[in-house]
Amino acid sequence: MLGKTQHEIENGYYFVDLPKMLVMKDEVWAKELLLQIDIVSYPHMMDKKARENIIKRINSMLPKPPAEPPKTAEEQYQARLARMRGR
């Protein structure tokens, strides 16, 4: 609250550091650009570890599927029977 007048505090005036905001925007843009470069270069990479890291990064951004609802006892029994029969 130091350096603000009572009027500024009551009316919610804030200092905006425009150069810092522009740098942050450029960092986000650069991050997205590097991600696109990774995706484009993925098929041509020979390093297996780098390829796995790209796949993990892409998979972490994807939405997660909803949790499967719990099965009833009858459904569990039928699924077990099907596995035992090899179906």
Side-chain angles (χ1 to χ4, degrees):
M1 296 301 173
L2 295 176
K4 287 188 175 185
T5 65
Q6 184 66 30
H7 179 72
E8 290 173 334
I9 293 171
E10 290 172 358
N11 294 310
Y13 287 91
Y14 296 98
F15 175 74
V16 176
D17 189 357
L18 188 58
K20 188 172 183 178
M21 285 180 62
L22 291 173
V23 167
M24 290 170 55
K25 182 181 175 205
D26 286 342
E27 287 175 359
V28 170
W29 180 78
K31 183 179 174 185
E32 291 173 359
L33 183 64
L34 287 174
L35 182 62
Q36 290 300 320
I37 290 171
D38 273 352
I39 292 170
V40 170
S41 65
Y42 169 77
H44 309 290
M45 287 188 148
M46 302 307 273
D47 185 11
K48 187 175 182 180
K49 200 170 204 176
R51 289 171 64 106
E52 289 174 0
N53 287 338
I54 291 171
I55 291 173
K56 286 179 186 175
R57 193 175 331 125
I58 293 171
N59 284 339
S60 69
M61 293 185 302
L62 296 175
K64 305 292 182 238
E68 188 175 313
K71 294 181 179 179
T72 64
E74 180 65 26
E75 291 172 334
Q76 291 176 11
Y77 175 72
Q78 293 300 328
R80 188 169 184 189
L81 275 178
R83 283 195 304 271
M84 288 172 59
R85 293 179 183 152
R87 295 182 186 176

